[in-house]
Amino acid sequence: LAKTTQPISMDSYEGQEVNITCSHNNIATNDYITWYQQFPSQGPRFIIQGYKTKVTNEVASLFIPADRKSSTLSLPRVSLSDTAVYYCLVGDMDSSYKLIFGSGTRLLVRP
Amino acid sequence: NAGVTQTPKFRVLKTGQSMTLLCAQDMNHEYMYWYRQDPGMGLRLIHYSVGEGTTAKGEVPDGYNVSRLKKQNFLLGLESAAPSQTSVYFCASSYDVGNQPQHFGDGTRLSIL
């Protein structure tokens, strides 16, 4: 089964830019890369999605290199409310329906 | 706009008891999923459904059964609950798989004594 790898935790300060990288060596040709945010006692919430190069929305940017074996979620000017766990989700080359979440990165934003 | 609704939000069971968790979505999504999340861990896929009347096994299906009799509902059943099934269960739905984001409910916290 394909798997993803993320840093377990990251610390930052308010106003800084945070970059979280996810490795996904077995990503399938037709699969997208999707990032989710999860607060305690809540379900994950969609942040951003992309296939290649760069995608930007009102809350984040997603950078994907040409080989698509990794992706980087970029959060500009984080605030305390960005403290959460961030997951990347990609398809599985062995079985396209066995969706696998990454282990998640616990981001702590300090004042 | 309710999105994905899970019932119940909390439940305590005794070992060997059975129960059904209900997931309902109002977005006309074809795909639905059940995950479990254990403390400090990511989500693991239990079962999923690609449409009404169809279900399939995910990463950790043992001890669970599912049914998708109606497009908007996805039921997760525990026939004989075990302490190892103590977890938070999340339901999700999506328009498609892979390149469509999943929409999650707020979870069911299940404790089995």
Side-chain angles (χ1 to χ4, degrees), chain A residues 1 30-34 36 38 41-46 49 87 89 95-103 106, chain B residues 31 33 35 37 40-43 45 48 50 57-59 90 97-107 109:
Chain A
L1 291 178
N30 295 327
D31 284 328
Y32 280 63
I33 299 156
T34 310
Y36 291 84
Q38 187 179 27
S41 301
Q42 294 185 23
R45 183 172 68 100
F46 171 80
Q49 185 179 69
Y87 296 95
L89 178 62
S95 175
S96 63
Y97 294 114
K98 290 186 179 180
L99 307 172
I100 298 176
F101 273 75
S103 55
R106 191 173 299 274
Chain B
Y31 293 78
Y33 317 82
Y35 294 88
Q37 185 173 35
M41 297 181 66
L43 284 78
L45 182 65
Y48 62 94
V50 302
K57 295 180 180 180
E59 183 184 1
F90 288 101
V97 72
N99 63 349
Q100 293 292 326
Q102 295 184 22
H103 299 260
F104 285 82
D106 284 335
R109 187 173 297 274

Side-chain angles (χ1 to χ4, degrees), chain B residues 13-111:
Chain B
L13 291 178
K14 294 181 179 179
T15 297
Q17 287 185 317
S18 64
M19 80 161 295
T20 300
L21 279 64
L22 171 63
C23 177
Q25 54 96 0
D26 61 3
M27 296 170 283
N28 201 35
H29 285 167
E30 289 292 335
Y31 293 78
M32 297 188 74
Y33 317 82
W34 276 107
Y35 294 88
R36 61 176 289 173
Q37 185 173 35
D38 299 308
M41 297 181 66
L43 284 78
R44 292 184 292 171
L45 182 65
I46 304 172
H47 285 278
Y48 62 94
S49 169
V50 302
E52 182 178 318
T54 68
T55 64
K57 295 180 180 180
E59 183 184 1
V60 289
D62 294 342
Y64 305 94
N65 57 76
V66 289
S67 64
R68 184 100 180 268
L69 299 180
K70 294 183 178 181
K71 185 177 183 178
Q72 65 267 35
N73 295 336
F74 195 28
L75 307 179
L76 177 70
L78 287 73
E79 291 187 348
S80 180
S84 61
Q85 294 177 304
T86 293
S87 188
V88 180
Y89 292 86
F90 288 101
C91 175
S93 70
S94 66
Y95 177 74
D96 197 351
V97 72
N99 63 349
Q100 293 292 326
Q102 295 184 22
H103 299 260
F104 285 82
D106 284 335
T108 294
R109 187 173 297 274
L110 183 62
S111 294

